[in-house]
């Protein structure tokens, strides 16, 4: 049993699924790719039990069928170091021989039946999304997800699908992003929490520029996304997502409008001199002037920068984590942003200055640090 | 490395000297300072008392048996700190680089000053200045590194001045007991004695590989010190690495409610300390000592915080996990370490504005009217009862 495939095609395929491979796997078989050859179609699957992803490639010549698990690291490394050349795989039991050019490589695979079964999904609802929208949503939300094992729901992104909009929410309890698209229509309403790891992987493999249709199937425990030659099935995070709408303050009397890039660059510079463990930066707004200060008492370093801004409200002094601020500001695109505030101990809201007919609605919330007066 | 010039200054029987400064009738009498309760230990004693075999860190009860005529004083840490600060002020006025090693010890690096003043003369003048200005007796040792200077001070005491130049280091150290090396405590001393090592000379002649096999890394350091080698620098200022408090009971207890309440009140006290200094902690440690002196500690890392409710919860959890034997406890303590400067990052879902306002209001009251102006009710009870359960 053997097949021939171009090394570049194979490598590209492997890279599309390798992001799912776990680093500390409990099951040794999860360090393998599952190869399934059916006629001339080669399906490669990677799994970490939570997420299973597969890509289907076309071989140039096949003498199948073949089903075998191949050690991922060794295979990836050899494919990366090969030039573009046809590669012949010969499989005999668990012995695998690879011929490429003048080279002959031998390795031992594993029985395919040890590989975890791809979950079968019942009672699914299906809908269609497009890749550009998803990639954009992942870019805007993923950075805000948490790592707290005690609050597992926050380690994922909430998808809230309504009749006439779709909302993506991520939070780590210090910052929160709500990304809503009003140009979305759906027949069903549902909400689900997807872990961040498969989303981060999808962000890299989904085509960003073109609108590729993504077929989605959902049930209570899993989600399946299908696009191009890729199928990804992933277990949903169980649990109740915190009521994020309740924590977004509606009444924010103070409004600061400022150029996004200049604020971002100032924070970048100032924070170099601030504490490396708390990343604290003070915002002092008086009149039409914003004063940024950061200091590190342990090393006696400090920095101050003045920025002009347009501000409506009382003078205020509020502290933020500069890393959070930088993440948020660099994720946003518009030239000017609005920072809404109410009190030094209440959340700040970052919005982009936009026209009303913009279908994109981004809201970022950042909790301040408790400054002593 | 060029030879350095390091002074070690040590206030003689510091606590006793301060007491004598405040009450001149104590001069010339045996004085013992330490907790006056039965369980206390001697924290300082005068030379008159030492003659009876009393030494610091000895249980007060033993000291009483050895020297029943001594005057026992409870001690006033606040006053001692104040006096110590006066000494530090004088040193900082004159010295280029100094390190406050403890309440009564200072190191000064005066490398290079001999070209202008003569190191010994300069040190002598500084010592005289301190004695004149504060009225406290002080000794110093002058040598090329911290260890030798410290040993020299010990040899020069009381009221002494000792200069050990580079070439005299070996002859000076050789005949001394290994006990004199600052890092060698009871355990290492016993170990080395069991190997037949009693003088610094012997220790310095042992091959370092052999020492490191018995004592590990510390062995090498001890060996270097025995050879008069110590290149640790004089560090001007050392940031506080942790904040802690502990309580030894008059009578050992198993009263779990009392212990929990006390722990809460202790955490509350030092958490306020944290916020006052604008610091956050990343690690909480709880310590208990059973009546048989078995000491156990347990620690937990957490995201930087200075909030009472998080720290109290963590400390209580640790205590409940730690206190597993139904045995009497004689000491309980709590420590915050991994300190960083900064303010509390607020949580979107947990930290309600009302709670933050409450924290700030309470802290403002404490800042204005003192630590005990406002506290958790369970803490009032344990504090009023004092040490009596």
């Amino acid at each position: 049993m053997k097949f021939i495939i171009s090394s570049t095609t194979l490598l590209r395929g492997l890279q599309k699924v390798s992001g799912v491979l776990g680093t500390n796997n409990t099951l040794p078989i999860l360090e393998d790719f599952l190869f399934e050859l059916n006629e001339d179609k080669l399906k490669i699957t990677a799994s970490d039990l939570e997420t299973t992803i597969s890509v289907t490639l076309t071989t140039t010549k096949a003498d199948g069928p073949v089903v075998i698990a191949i050690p991922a690291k060794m295979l990836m490394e050899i494919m990366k170091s090969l030039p573009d050349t046809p590669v012949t795989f010969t499989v005999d039991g668990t012995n695998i021989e690879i011929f490429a050019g003048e080279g002959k490589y031998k390795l031992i695979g594993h029985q395919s039946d040890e590989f975890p079964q791809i979950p079968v999904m019942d009672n699914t609802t299906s809908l269609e999304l497009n890749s550009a929208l998803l990639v954009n949503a992942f870019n805007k939300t993923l950075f805000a997800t948490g790592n707290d094992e005690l609050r597992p729901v926050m380690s994922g992104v909430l998808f809230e699908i309504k009749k006439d909009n779709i909302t993506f929410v991520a939070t780590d309890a210090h910052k929160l992003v709500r990304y809503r698209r009003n140009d979305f229509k759906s027949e069903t309403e549902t909400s689900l929490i997807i872990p961040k790891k498969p989303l981060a992987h999808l962000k890299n493999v989904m085509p960003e520029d073109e609108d590729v249709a993504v077929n989605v199937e959902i049930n209570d425990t899993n989600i399946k996304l299908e696009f191009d030659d890729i199928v990804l099935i992933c277990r949903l995070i169980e649990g109740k997502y915190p009521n994020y709408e309740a924590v977004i303050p509606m009444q924010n009397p103070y409004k600061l409008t400022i150029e996004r890039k200049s604020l971002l660059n100032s924070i970048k510079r100032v924070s170099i001199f601030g504490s490396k463990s708390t990343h604290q930066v003070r915002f002092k707004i008086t009149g039409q002037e914003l004063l940024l200060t950061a200091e590190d008492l342990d090393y006696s370093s400090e920095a101050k920068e003045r920025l002009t801004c347009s501000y409506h409200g009382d003078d205020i002094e509020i502290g933020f984590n500069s890393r959070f601020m930088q993440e948020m500001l660099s994720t946003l695109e518009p030239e000017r942003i609005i920072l809404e505030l109410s009190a030094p101990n209440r959340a700040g809201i970052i919005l982009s200055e936009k026209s009303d007919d913009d279908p994109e609605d981004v809201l970022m919330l950042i909790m301040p640090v408790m400054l002593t007066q | 490395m060029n030879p350095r010039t390091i002074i070690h200054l040590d206030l003689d029987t510091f606590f006793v000297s301060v007491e004598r400064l405040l009450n001149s009738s104590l001069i010339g009498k045996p004085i013992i300072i330490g907790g006056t309760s039965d369980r206390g230990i001697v924290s300082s004693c005068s030379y008159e008392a030492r003659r009876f075999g009393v030494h610091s860190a000895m249980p007060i009860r033993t000291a009483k048996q050895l020297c029943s005529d001594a005057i026992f004083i409870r001690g006033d840490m606040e006053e001692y700190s104040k006096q110590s600060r006066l000494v530090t002020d004088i040193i900082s006025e004159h010295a280029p680089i100094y390190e406050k090693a403890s309440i009564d010890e200072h190191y000064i690096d005066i490398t290079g000053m001999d070209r202008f003043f003569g190191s010994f003369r300069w040190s002598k003048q500084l010592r005289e200045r301190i004695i004149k200005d504060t009225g406290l007796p002080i000794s110093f040792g002058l040598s090329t590194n911290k260890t030798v200077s410290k040993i020299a001070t010990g040899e020069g005491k009381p009221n002494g001045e000792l200069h050990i130049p580079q070439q005299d280091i070996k002859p000076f150290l050789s005949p001394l007991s290994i006990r004199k090396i600052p890092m060698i405590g009871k355990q290492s001393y016993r170990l080395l004695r069991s190997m037949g090592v009693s003088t610094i000379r012997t220790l310095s002649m042992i091959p370092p590989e052999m020492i490191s096999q018995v004592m590990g890394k510390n062995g090498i350091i001890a060996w270097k010190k025995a050879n008069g080698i110590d290149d640790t620098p004089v560090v001007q200022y050392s940031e506080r690495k942790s904040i802690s408090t502990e309580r030894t009971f008059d009578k050992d207890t198993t009263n779990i409610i009392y212990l929990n309440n006390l722990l809460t009140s202790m955490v509350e006290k030092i958490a306020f300390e944290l916020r006052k200094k604008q610091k956050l902690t990343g690690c909480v440690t709880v310590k208990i000592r059973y009546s048989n002196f078995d000491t156990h500690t347990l620690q937990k890392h957490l995201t930087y915080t200075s909030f009472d409710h998080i720290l109290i919860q963590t400390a209580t959890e640790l205590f409940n996990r730690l206190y597993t034997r139904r045995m009497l406890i004689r000491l309980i303590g709590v420590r915050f370490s991994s300190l960083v400067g900064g303010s509390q990052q607020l949580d979107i879902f947990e930290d309600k504005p009302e709670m933050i306002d409450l924290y700030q209001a309470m802290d403002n009251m404490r800042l204005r009217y003192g630590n005990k102006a406002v506290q958790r009710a369970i803490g009032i009870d344990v504090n009023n009862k004092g040490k009596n359960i």
Side-chain angles (χ1 to χ4, degrees), chain B residues 5 7 9 36 45 57 62 92 95 154-155 161 178 185 220 229 241 252 264 274 278 281 291 310 340:
Chain B
T5 317
I7 312 174
L9 283 155
T36 43
C45 58
T62 321
S92 72
E155 292 305 294
E161 302 168 343
I178 48 167
I220 298 288
I229 307 166
K241 302 244 167 48
D252 297 344
T264 304
L274 270 184
Q278 298 222 26
T281 174
S291 53
I310 298 170
V340 292

Side-chain angles (χ1 to χ4, degrees), chain B residues 47 55-57 63 150 212 214 246 272 287 310 331 343 371:
Chain B
Y47 279 93
H55 58 82
S56 49
K150 190 178 162 99
S212 94
V214 218
E246 55 184 46
F272 169 65
K287 168 163 114 180
I310 298 170
L331 174 145
S343 313
N371 223 334

Side-chain angles (χ1 to χ4, degrees), chain B residues 86-156:
Chain B
L86 289 177
V87 175
T88 312
D89 286 347
I90 297 171
I91 292 172
S92 72
E93 220 173 277
H94 295 84
I97 304 172
Y98 72 93
E99 174 181 336
K100 187 166 183 156
S102 73
I103 195 161
D104 59 352
E105 280 178 282
H106 295 84
Y107 288 100
I108 308 176
D109 187 339
I110 55 162
T111 308
M113 298 242 298
D114 50 344
R115 268 185 269 172
F116 307 103
F117 306 106
S119 315
F120 190 67
R121 210 182 79 207
W122 188 89
S123 317
K124 220 173 147 67
Q125 278 168 2
L126 177 68
R127 172 172 172 254
E128 277 157 14
R129 177 75 202 273
I130 293 170
I131 295 173
K132 187 167 156 263
D133 285 8
T134 62
L136 296 166
I138 189 163
S139 306
F140 76 81
L142 175 69
S143 191
T144 59
N145 62 51
K146 282 165 98 173
T147 303
V148 180
S149 298
K150 190 178 162 99
I151 297 173
T153 313
E155 292 305 294

Side-chain angles (χ1 to χ4, degrees), chain A residues 92-294:
Chain A
D92 178 15
T94 53
N95 296 322
I96 304 155
E97 281 183 339
I98 306 170
F99 300 90
E102 296 299 309
K104 179 185 166 189
Y105 317 97
K106 230 174 112 177
L107 71 161
I108 301 291
H110 298 105
Q111 296 285 348
S112 62
D113 48 4
E114 288 172 41
F115 206 85
Q117 295 289 312
I118 295 167
V120 182
M121 291 172 63
D122 316 316
N123 301 325
T124 56
T125 23
S126 34
L127 59 141
E128 196 183 296
L129 293 163
N130 81 64
S131 64
L133 181 148
L134 284 174
V135 172
N136 195 359
F138 299 160
N139 276 331
K140 294 228 161 53
T141 51
L142 273 172
F143 77 90
T145 53
N147 288 316
D148 192 350
E149 283 165 18
L150 297 174
R151 299 197 252 195
V153 289
M154 289 192 195
S155 66
V157 175
L158 173 75
F159 284 45
E160 229 176 25
I161 298 157
K162 293 267 169 66
K163 285 250 172 346
D164 50 3
N165 67 34
I166 181 164
T167 309
F168 304 87
V169 183
T171 180
D172 66 354
H174 299 316
K175 52 188 185 287
L176 181 145
V177 179
R178 187 190 69 188
Y179 178 74
R180 181 170 287 161
R181 291 290 290 241
N182 292 315
D183 56 348
F184 176 86
K185 294 272 176 287
S186 160
E187 281 157 22
T188 49
E189 294 205 341
T190 180
S191 80
L192 47 142
I193 309 163
I194 305 180
K196 66 167 143 187
K197 189 181 158 196
L199 295 184
H201 179 66
L202 280 177
K203 192 182 93 176
N204 294 328
V205 298
M206 263 190 187
E208 184 175 357
D209 308 324
E210 357 164 12
D211 280 356
V212 173
V214 180
N215 289 310
V216 183
E217 277 184 57
I218 309 161
N219 70 5
D220 290 343
T221 50
N222 289 287
I223 181 169
K224 180 168 161 191
L225 295 114
E226 255 185 287
F227 60 96
D228 291 345
D229 47 7
I230 296 176
V231 182
L232 180 139
I233 297 177
C234 137
R235 198 185 304 148
L236 299 173
I237 298 178
E238 283 171 43
K240 197 175 169 305
Y241 205 78
N243 185 357
Y244 65 92
E245 289 291 355
V247 296
I248 300 175
M250 287 303 151
Q251 301 297 321
N252 297 300
Y254 309 158
K255 277 192 177 55
L256 171 103
T257 313
I258 193 160
E259 269 186 47
R260 180 180 66 88
K261 277 219 173 100
S262 56
L263 176 62
L264 175 61
N265 291 333
S266 291
I267 293 176
K268 263 188 198 158
R269 286 190 294 267
V270 166
S271 62
I272 295 170
F273 299 87
S275 157
K276 295 285 172 289
S277 36
T278 58
H279 308 283
Q280 190 175 312
V281 172
R282 266 170 199 260
F283 284 54
K284 191 174 180 186
I285 313 165
T286 37
Q288 303 298 306
E289 186 185 84
L290 167 65
L291 175 68
L292 297 176
T293 51

Side-chain angles (χ1 to χ4, degrees), chain A residues 1-5 10 35 66 68-71 74-75 78-79 82 86-100 103-109:
Chain A
M1 288 173 287
K2 65 179 192 176
F3 60 91
I4 302 170
I5 190 164
L10 180 59
F35 275 52
V66 174
I68 185 136
I70 303 179
M74 212 181 260
L75 190 62
I78 180 66
M79 285 306 140
L82 281 176
V87 185
T88 311
F89 282 75
T90 320
V91 181
D92 178 15
T94 53
N95 296 322
I96 304 155
E97 281 183 339
I98 306 170
F99 300 90
K104 179 185 166 189
Y105 317 97
K106 230 174 112 177
L107 71 161
I108 301 291

Side-chain angles (χ1 to χ4, degrees), chain B residues 35-86:
Chain B
T36 43
S37 74
D38 250 11
R39 320 281 299 249
I41 53 155
V42 177
S43 44
S44 179
C45 58
S46 70
Y47 279 93
E48 290 81 359
R50 286 186 200 188
R51 217 170 290 154
F52 293 88
V54 180
H55 58 82
S56 49
M58 169 186 276
I60 282 280
R61 204 188 296 194
T62 321
K64 269 185 184 156
Q65 283 161 4
L66 287 170
C67 181
S68 51
D69 295 332
I71 299 163
F72 289 84
I73 298 172
R74 178 96 173 75
D76 178 359
M77 223 37 211
E78 219 158 286
E79 184 63 35
Y80 303 152
S81 307
K82 203 178 99 193
Q83 295 288 342
S84 167
R85 227 171 299 132
L86 289 177

Side-chain angles (χ1 to χ4, degrees), chain B residues 328-339:
Chain B
L328 288 163
I329 291 185
R330 69 176 273 130
L331 174 145
I332 180 168
V334 57
R335 182 172 76 236
F336 297 159
S337 47
S338 316
L339 304 185

